[in-house]
Amino acid sequence: MKILQASSSCLITLLLILPLVFAASSSSEDFDFFYFVQQWPGSYCDTQKSCCYPTTGKPAADFGIHGLWPNYKDGTYPSNCDDTKPFDSSTISGLINSMKKSWPTLACPSGSGEAFWEHEWEKHGTCSESVIDQHEYFQTALNLRQKTNLLGALTKAGINPDGKSYSLESIRDSIKESTGFTPWIECNRGGSGNSQLYQVYVCVDRSGSGLIECPVFPHGKCGTEIEFPSF
Ligand code: 5GP
Ligand code: 5GP
């Protein structure tokens, strides 16, 4: 009788624990790595659509953050994962000054940046909540921008935002030389139809702390020679 009681209480404990074990393991597989994406303002602005400077004024002539995007190794990605955690600027009040400098919005009409940050948090940030909370999400992106210093990497190799064309290979190599990892370069078309350096993707581990080689690259194509517009 005692044995029967003991084994049934074991069974009940097991039944109570199992869902927790599954919940923990599924949330640890909710994405594999991040793309950290930075945009060149000159290339956002010189397209046929043009741009609007933020209400705080013209951003510095430097790469700005577009987003930190959780991704799967098969190239697909989750989005809008938790509508119970809306963007809350009070969680990043200590970061706002850095955000305005490093994550400026260029979309029209002019804004402070909050709408852009809100969009990025809701679409992408909510999918990394198992690892980092809202404050950490934005802090992680700011740290990564400092760490990658794309403009420094390019100018060190003699690649300057001067409206001239550079080989895609030299752009990729200079960033690899400086960060240690191969970036993905995304191009767009300038006003005259030219292929130009628009966004740079680097891959980041699940914790958001270290760069990694990309498990998979996005799709898209640049020319072999691409323009680096001024801003
Ligand atoms: P586009 O279609 O202009 O390349 O991308 C539009 C938006 O879709 C991006 O700004 C981003 O929010 C999302 N997106 C595009 N490609 C990827 C990707 O490979 N991974 C993730 N996580 N999001 C992406
Ligand atoms: P994604 O392409 O990541 O889904 O999000 C881009 C969204 O953010 C678009 O709705 C776009 O209008 C808005 N947005 C606001 N500012 C910027 C900006 O400076 N660059 C880009 N690429 N999108 C911006």
Side-chain angles (χ1 to χ4, degrees), residues 39 44 66 69 104-107 116 119-120 123-124 198-199:
Q39 63 181 0
Y44 187 93
H66 180 163
W69 303 345
T105 179
L106 291 165
F116 189 22
H119 169 86
E120 292 298 313
K123 181 169 179 181
H124 300 285
Y198 171 42
Q199 300 202 109

Side-chain angles (χ1 to χ4, degrees), residues 10-11 27 35 39-40 42 47-48 53 56 59-60 65 84 95 103-104 124 127 140 144 151 169 202 211:
C10 262
L11 189 68
S27 71
Y35 283 129
Q39 63 181 0
W40 178 249
T47 64
Q48 277 166 354
Y53 295 156
T56 42
I65 300 170
T84 71
L95 305 178
W103 201 326
H124 300 285
C127 301
T140 298
L144 288 166
L151 190 61
E169 202 182 352
V202 294
L211 300 189

Side-chain angles (χ1 to χ4, degrees), residues 39 52-57 59 65-66 87 89 92 96 98-121 138:
Q39 63 181 0
C52 292
Y53 295 156
T55 45
T56 42
I65 300 170
H66 180 163
F87 176 71
S89 60
I92 55 164
I96 294 288
S98 307
M99 298 275 293
K100 285 181 179 160
K101 289 195 191 108
S102 301
W103 201 326
T105 179
L106 291 165
C108 297
S110 290
S112 64
E114 290 227 358
F116 189 22
W117 309 331
E118 176 174 25
H119 169 86
E120 292 298 313
W121 164 256
F138 289 103

Side-chain angles (χ1 to χ4, degrees), residues 48-49 56 86 104 126 131 142 195:
Q48 277 166 354
K49 238 176 71 186
T56 42
T126 54
V131 183
L142 291 170
S195 178

Side-chain angles (χ1 to χ4, degrees), residues 71-87:
N71 240 73
Y72 299 117
K73 280 189 289 208
D74 68 2
T76 64
Y77 58 89
S79 60
N80 299 93
C81 296
D82 185 1
D83 58 13
T84 71
K85 291 275 166 57
F87 176 71

Side-chain angles (χ1 to χ4, degrees), residues 119-139:
H119 169 86
E120 292 298 313
W121 164 256
E122 287 172 0
K123 181 169 179 181
H124 300 285
T126 54
C127 301
S128 56
E129 275 177 330
S130 61
V131 183
I132 44 178
D133 65 21
Q134 196 168 145
H135 180 272
E136 287 163 343
Y137 177 77
F138 289 103
Q139 180 73 67

